[in-house]
Every structure is written in C-alpha cells, then in structure tokens.
Amino acid sequence: MDHAADAHRTDLMTITRYVLNEQSKYPESRGDFTILLNHIVLGCKFVCSAVNKAGLAKLIGLAGETNVQGEEQKKLDVLSNEVFIKSLVSSGRTCILVSEEDEEATFVEPSKRGKYCVVFDPLDGSSNIDCAVSIGTIFGIYMVKDSHEPTLDDVLQPGKHMLAAGYCMYGSSCTLVLSTGEGVHGFTLDPSLGEFILTHPDIKIPKKGKIYSVNEGNAKNWDGPTAKYVEKCKFPKDGSSSKSLRYIGSMVADVHRTLLYGGIFLYPADKKSPNGKLRVLYEVFPMSFLTEQAGGQAFTGKQRALDLVPTKIHERSPIFLGSYDDVEEIKALYAAEGKKE
C-alpha cells in the first residue's frame, strides 16, 4: 500500500457516501435505512471517543450493577448503551431495540416508530477495558414486514433474514466493518476528519487459514468433536504444519482477525455452558452474517448458524465460524459423531 499517496488522496469514500451509493441502486428507496445507519455510525463515534478518554475520565470504575448476563457492569457499558438507545430512537426509523445490557426489549413509542428492529451489544468485551484490549460494538438490523403493532416475534427471526450487520472495533484504530448483504467492507475512522473512510473494500476471508482461536481453559469440558478438532490443529496427522493459536477473549477482535487473516473462531458448548456462551441475536447472528458475506461459514455444531430460530432475546448458542474449509472440517467431525449415536 502506498501510504504517501494515500495521505494525499482527495477522493474519499466515506461510509455515508458508500451507503448513499448503495441506496441509489434501489430506486424505490426512501433513505430510511441510510438515516438509520448514520445514527449507528454516530453512536460508534461517540463510544470510540468515550473509550479513548475512559482512563482519564474515571469512567472505568464499576457501575455497581450486574447486567442480565451476570457480568460486572462497567460505567462505559451503561454509557454506550444509553448512547445507542437514544441515537436509534431519535432516528425515527426503529420500532424494537434489543440490547445485551437490557433484560427486556425496548419498544419505541408510536410517534417515533419506524420499520427497523436493531439488535446490538453496545460494548462487547467490556471486561477488557482496564487492560486496553480491543473492545467493540456489534449490531444487526431486521425489517418489520408489515405495519402491524410490533411484537417480539419481529426480532425473534433467523439470522438469514437480517438486512445488515456489522461491528465497530475500538482498538489501535477505530474500525467499522459492515455488510448490507452485498459483501463486507471495512471503514477506518480518520480522527482529523471525524469520518469513517473505506480502507478495506470487499473483504474476503481466505478459504483455509493457519490460525485457530478458542479458550483452551475450557478444554476439560469440551465435547468429542471440538476436542478432536483442536487436537488436529496442534498435531496434524497428514504431515501439514500445525495451526497457530490466537485468542484475545474479545469477540470483536478475534472475529476481525479471523475475517482478515482466515482461520477459525470457536466458542463451543461444554459441560459448564451446555448452550454455549455467546448470545444468538447480537453476537452469533451478526458475526455469522459477516463471515458468510465474506465467503466463510458459520456453524452451531448442529446447523448453519443463520438458520437458527431464536425463542428468547438473550438466547445463547455454540458457534464455529471462519474460513470455509476449516469450518467444513469441524462439520465433518460433528457429522461423524452424529452417526455414532
């Protein structure tokens, strides 16, 4: 990449321009989706700024509450959640919001109601704030099909019905990765402009990777296929070189690396968490949507992740996602296990 030339580029593809270009492909579009995405982007910019100042602003202390998932809630979690709720409601384009931080879904009052449902984790990996590890916001967008009174069923849809999904990672740079169903694109926040600029057009995950990412501390509780797969990563029997282990423990950072470099990210079910640990609506679905759009696969141990039909807003699921061939291997191990039973 020619960084010197990049520094003098004058034709900048901002995220707003990119979304407007996409909108122009649909003559019937009224711009509602564009407005909604702009409000999500604004929320991301606000949280990015708050995360950068957190150490100085004493925002890092505990909020003194425990969220519905039993995690200690940090002040930044609360702040991020409020920012996204207020930004999404004020857009006038949403009808139901599901946040990781709130036990119940938020139903937008009729006067500000629109046709979109947004599911999100305002600050994923927030327990990593104190040690400056990358954290992020994950979101997914559904559309309510007709103009009925919105109900929970409007968000309890399989992930394949999502219109768009993305995440914003607050790390060494602030990166927003987005898919509206036509490929995956990465944007980086230019702090001098306050704009997200397209830096990673059309991200494609390598067909096979050299990295596996899993919390090996849970190994004693794993099922057979997961244990066999990880063993194979470390001690391949076919003479190939072993895979490298990379595990950050922040889903956004681990999935981001997997999208760019390939490999597989695993959060399996185990004896301690028989349904897995990650939440279906605002962690598993958006990340699976992005992975498939980038040419990879996402699997739950039983089925394609995006075919799963959630019954509760905070439901959990195991997940295996990443390079197509790597996920194919774990699928084969689960299929073989199924035949034995």
Side-chain angles (χ1 to χ4, degrees), residues 61-115:
L62 300 182
E65 300 166 20
T66 298
N67 74 4
V68 294
Q69 312 303 340
E71 297 168 338
E72 283 183 326
Q73 206 171 359
K74 307 264 177 177
K75 284 182 185 169
L76 261 177
D77 288 13
V78 181
L79 183 72
S80 308
N81 192 42
E82 284 177 9
V83 164
F84 276 102
I85 297 264
K86 286 177 176 155
S87 186
L88 290 166
V89 170
S90 68
S91 73
R93 303 299 184 276
T94 59
C95 54
I96 308 171
L97 309 175
V98 172
S99 165
E100 192 249 7
E101 296 294 339
D102 296 328
E103 200 152 347
E104 304 292 335
T106 301
F107 288 87
V108 179
E109 60 183 90
S111 63
K112 293 181 178 165
R113 204 173 274 168
K115 60 184 174 182

Side-chain angles (χ1 to χ4, degrees), residues 18-60:
Y18 166 77
V19 172
L20 284 168
N21 282 0
E22 287 299 297
Q23 182 192 316
S24 66
K25 295 176 187 172
Y26 303 94
E28 73 285 0
S29 171
R30 299 209 327 271
D32 288 348
F33 188 65
T34 307
I35 290 166
L36 172 61
L37 275 173
N38 272 340
H39 279 75
I40 290 173
V41 167
L42 177 65
C44 292
K45 286 180 186 171
F46 186 99
V47 174
C48 178
S49 165
V51 166
N52 288 339
K53 288 189 287 207
L56 298 168
K58 294 274 187 263
L59 285 166
I60 279 177

Side-chain angles (χ1 to χ4, degrees), residues 10 53 85 92 154 170 192 260 271 283 298 301-302:
T10 50
K53 288 189 287 207
I85 297 264
D154 291 313
Y170 315 111
S192 61
L260 295 183
K271 293 185 189 115
E283 288 175 331
K302 292 190 174 123

Side-chain angles (χ1 to χ4, degrees), residues 8-24:
H8 299 291
R9 273 188 311 164
T10 50
D11 186 25
L12 299 173
M13 177 60 81
T14 65
I15 194 162
T16 310
R17 180 176 155 193
Y18 166 77
V19 172
L20 284 168
N21 282 0
E22 287 299 297
Q23 182 192 316
S24 66

Side-chain angles (χ1 to χ4, degrees), residues 30-266:
R30 299 209 327 271
D32 288 348
F33 188 65
T34 307
I35 290 166
L36 172 61
L37 275 173
N38 272 340
H39 279 75
I40 290 173
V41 167
L42 177 65
C44 292
K45 286 180 186 171
F46 186 99
V47 174
C48 178
S49 165
V51 166
N52 288 339
K53 288 189 287 207
L56 298 168
K58 294 274 187 263
L59 285 166
I60 279 177
L62 300 182
E65 300 166 20
T66 298
N67 74 4
V68 294
Q69 312 303 340
E71 297 168 338
E72 283 183 326
Q73 206 171 359
K74 307 264 177 177
K75 284 182 185 169
L76 261 177
D77 288 13
V78 181
L79 183 72
S80 308
N81 192 42
E82 284 177 9
V83 164
F84 276 102
I85 297 264
K86 286 177 176 155
S87 186
L88 290 166
V89 170
S90 68
S91 73
R93 303 299 184 276
T94 59
C95 54
I96 308 171
L97 309 175
V98 172
S99 165
E100 192 249 7
E101 296 294 339
D102 296 328
E103 200 152 347
E104 304 292 335
T106 301
F107 288 87
V108 179
E109 60 183 90
S111 63
K112 293 181 178 165
R113 204 173 274 168
K115 60 184 174 182
Y116 296 105
C117 307
V118 183
V119 292
F120 62 99
D121 185 343
L123 209 58
D124 185 69
S126 52
S127 58
N128 289 313
I129 294 168
D130 294 354
C131 57
V133 166
S134 295
I135 51 182
T137 299
I138 309 173
F139 61 89
I141 302 170
Y142 289 107
M143 189 163 86
V144 179
K145 290 287 183 283
D146 43 40
S147 55
H148 61 275
E149 190 67 20
T151 66
L152 269 189
D153 288 341
D154 291 313
V155 280
L156 295 174
Q157 297 188 54
K160 62 185 176 187
H161 292 165
M162 271 186 176
L163 286 189
Y167 59 81
C168 188
M169 186 173 73
Y170 315 111
S172 53
S173 59
C174 180
T175 309
L176 197 150
V177 174
L178 173 72
S179 175
T180 54
E182 293 189 22
V184 181
H185 302 280
F187 302 83
T188 304
L189 184 64
D190 181 336
S192 61
L193 296 174
E195 287 282 3
F196 279 102
I197 308 295
L198 180 65
T199 49
H200 297 74
D202 200 20
I203 295 169
K204 286 280 177 256
I205 189 166
K207 196 156 188 298
K208 193 171 178 56
K210 295 175 182 165
I211 295 171
Y212 73 104
S213 183
V214 65
N215 183 352
E216 290 219 42
N218 294 330
K220 67 172 187 165
N221 295 317
W222 286 344
D223 61 14
T226 302
K228 274 187 201 139
Y229 181 78
V230 171
E231 185 71 8
K232 201 170 155 191
C233 290
K234 296 198 263 197
F235 306 103
K237 301 261 194 313
D238 58 3
S240 61
S241 52
S242 49
K243 288 189 191 301
S244 295
L245 168 66
R246 296 283 183 272
Y247 186 69
I248 299 163
S250 176
M251 190 193 192
V252 172
D254 278 313
V255 172
H256 187 65
R257 182 201 56 248
T258 305
L259 278 179
L260 295 183
Y261 299 163
I264 187 166
F265 170 81
L266 312 86

